[in-house]
Amino acid sequence: MGWLIFMWFVIFIVMVILYFVMIAFKLSKLYHDVEKRRKNDFENISKLKERMLK
């Protein structure tokens, strides 16, 4: 009986770890997308400034 509880415990731990890995992966992807967007916005703003100055 003890090994059955142990197996459930191991499965639960693995699931929790996978869940956190998924969240971390999504957050990092989101962060990278935001960084890319900010870089693009910065480029667009600098282009707008150049147009304004001309």
Side-chain angles (χ1 to χ4, degrees), residues 2-23:
W3 66 271
L4 195 79
I5 293 159
F6 179 72
M7 282 294 287
W8 274 113
F9 192 67
V10 168
I11 290 164
F12 180 73
I13 287 169
V14 168
M15 288 296 228
V16 168
I17 289 165
L18 279 172
Y19 184 68
F20 276 111
V21 166
M22 287 280 285
I23 288 169

Side-chain angles (χ1 to χ4, degrees), residues 13-51:
I13 287 169
V14 168
M15 288 296 228
V16 168
I17 289 165
L18 279 172
Y19 184 68
F20 276 111
V21 166
M22 287 280 285
I23 288 169
F25 186 71
K26 281 181 182 175
L27 283 178
S28 65
K29 193 176 183 300
L30 211 117
Y31 179 74
H32 283 302
D33 288 350
V34 167
E35 282 287 306
K36 218 183 285 176
R37 208 170 293 143
R38 270 166 61 192
K39 218 177 274 180
N40 288 345
D41 287 350
F42 186 73
E43 283 171 15
N44 290 340
I45 288 162
S46 53
K47 280 176 189 170
L48 270 175
K49 280 182 183 171
E50 282 172 23
R51 281 191 200 146

